[in-house]
Amino acid sequence: MTNLDPSEDVRISRRCVVIGAGVLGASIAARLAAAGMSVTLLDQDEPGRGTSRWSFAWVNSNDKGPKPYHDLNHAGLRAWAELAPGLDGAAWYRPVGHVELAADDAELADRVQRLTQWGYTARLIDAVEAARLEPSLRLPGPQAAAAWFPDEAYLLTEPLIERLVARAAAYGATVMTGGQGRVTGLASGRVRTAAGDVLAADDIVCCAGRWTPRLAAMANPESPVPLIPWDTPGATAPGLVVRVGPVRAEGPVRLIHTPQIALRRHPGGLLQLEAPDAAVDLHTPETELRHWAGELLHRARRTVRGLDQATVVGCQVCVRPMPADGQSIVGRLPGARWLYVAVTHSGVTLAAHLSRLIAAELATSAAAAELAPYRPDRFVGTAVPLTDPAVGR
Ligand SMILES: Cc1cc2nc3c(=O)[nH]c(=O)nc-3n(C[C@H](O)[C@H](O)[C@H](O)COP(=O)(O)OP(=O)(O)OC[C@H]3O[C@@H](n4cnc5c(N)ncnc54)[C@H](O)[C@@H]3O)c2cc1C
């Protein structure tokens, strides 16, 4: 055996624990493992069973502001398109484009103009073109104002997260779930799980979605990771997701928004539906949820062809991890810098790009300028208004 040559390029494997195997944590774990870190990915459940599982998963930067946040999401579109060919994209990446029927013609025209100026592909279309792009559409009339966003997509999060976790494991990551993966205590360099194990870590990354404030509070009880309330009656972070089917062959292919409903395909010959006015929370009685599910199916039938045989096959209240100011929270926690947190709405759109930025920060310790507006420090000493920042898009 030869002595170690001091000039040799030595790659030291940092130990990194990632908490949460939703779309964000799984993406980060895969990037960190591929970068040569020794990664342990923990989840209290099976991977992908949190918010990511029922997400509408529309990859877009259609109505996000201000401009830097638009750019971050726009980069998300490109990042998924880049990742798909090397990660079995046929199983989860659906770059079908998006047709939107206007709720307010002037608002849609303004938005398309702004997006175009920002370098985002968008254009106004008339009813004839809308019908050509999506033959299943039942248009409200020949004057219907619409827009076409060809670069937008949706993702199938379950097969995606499966592949991200498999990629992390292929690069040597350890994946622990259930009691072994449930984090019950945090300290600098240490993570305790419900199974009683204590894991040592050089970096701890918390991607626990809506549960992030609880974990951050384990690190620093004064932790400023404010999300809008999600578990109280009347909270606006929860949303209703309905799956209906079967959809006949003439059913829709594109992602579609009308003022009454959003819809897209889901595997198994289904459609996934959402409605902007379906005000539900985690306390809404089952009868009311069933009522809404029937109403959404009714609206979907009025919107597209192919649903004559369809019934409701799934209905779920799903919770947005929505930061109090609507923008991502990414970076080291004030008062406990050893904990790196990443929590965001639009996490499906953002995960491929955010995970790249976060993995680079952790691997090099160089701060990414693009992430500067999203640091948790911005909440220190501020009274955070827990209003409802544009839930839904
Ligand atoms: C109705 C609805 C529609 C949406 N539509 C879109 C959309 O169209 N486009 C878009 O981009 N985004 C959309 N979103 C938002 C997007 O789904 C989320 O931002 C994203 O799924 C968050 O992913 P995550 O990995 O951060 O969280 P999650 O998927 O919730 O994952 C967090 C994980 O942390 C684990 N965890 C929690 N506590 C612990 C603990 N103590 N120990 C170990 N593990 C723990 C959980 O089990 C979970 O698996 C939507 C959300 C909702 C609710």
Side-chain angles (χ1 to χ4, degrees), residues 22-24 43-44 51-52 55 57-58 181 183 274 318 344 346-349:
V23 69
L24 199 50
D43 201 293
Q44 61 189 1
T51 296
S52 301
S55 177
W58 168 31
V183 173
E274 284 183 20
C318 175
T344 188
S346 304
V348 176
T349 298

Side-chain angles (χ1 to χ4, degrees), residues 50 52 64 71 77 148 164 187 214 238 244 264 296-297 304 310 385:
S52 301
K64 322 251 185 189
D71 290 342
L77 270 71
W148 168 233
L164 289 167
R214 285 185 201 160
V244 299
R264 62 148 170 93
L296 265 64
L297 174 56
V304 290

Side-chain angles (χ1 to χ4, degrees), residues 18-26 42-60 64 73 80 153-154 157 161 176 178 181-184 206-212 214-215 218 237-241 255 257 264 272 274 316-322 342-351 392-393:
V18 179
I19 304 165
V23 69
L24 199 50
L42 303 176
D43 201 293
Q44 61 189 1
D45 201 329
E46 289 304 310
R49 295 289 173 93
T51 296
S52 301
R53 185 180 197 185
W54 285 83
S55 177
F56 196 59
W58 168 31
V59 175
N60 77 97
K64 322 251 185 189
N73 282 271
W80 285 119
Y154 67 91
T157 52
I161 291 170
M176 294 161 77
R182 185 155 74 84
V183 173
T184 55
C206 179
C207 307
R210 65 185 185 269
W211 298 276
T212 301
R214 285 185 201 160
L215 284 134
M218 292 178 194
L240 182 68
V241 178
L255 202 143
H257 276 83
R264 62 148 170 93
Q272 180 151 329
E274 284 183 20
Q316 177 77 20
V317 179
C318 175
V319 177
R320 298 174 182 85
M322 179 64 84
V343 59
T344 188
H345 183 53
S346 304
V348 176
T349 298
L350 288 168
R393 284 210 173 236

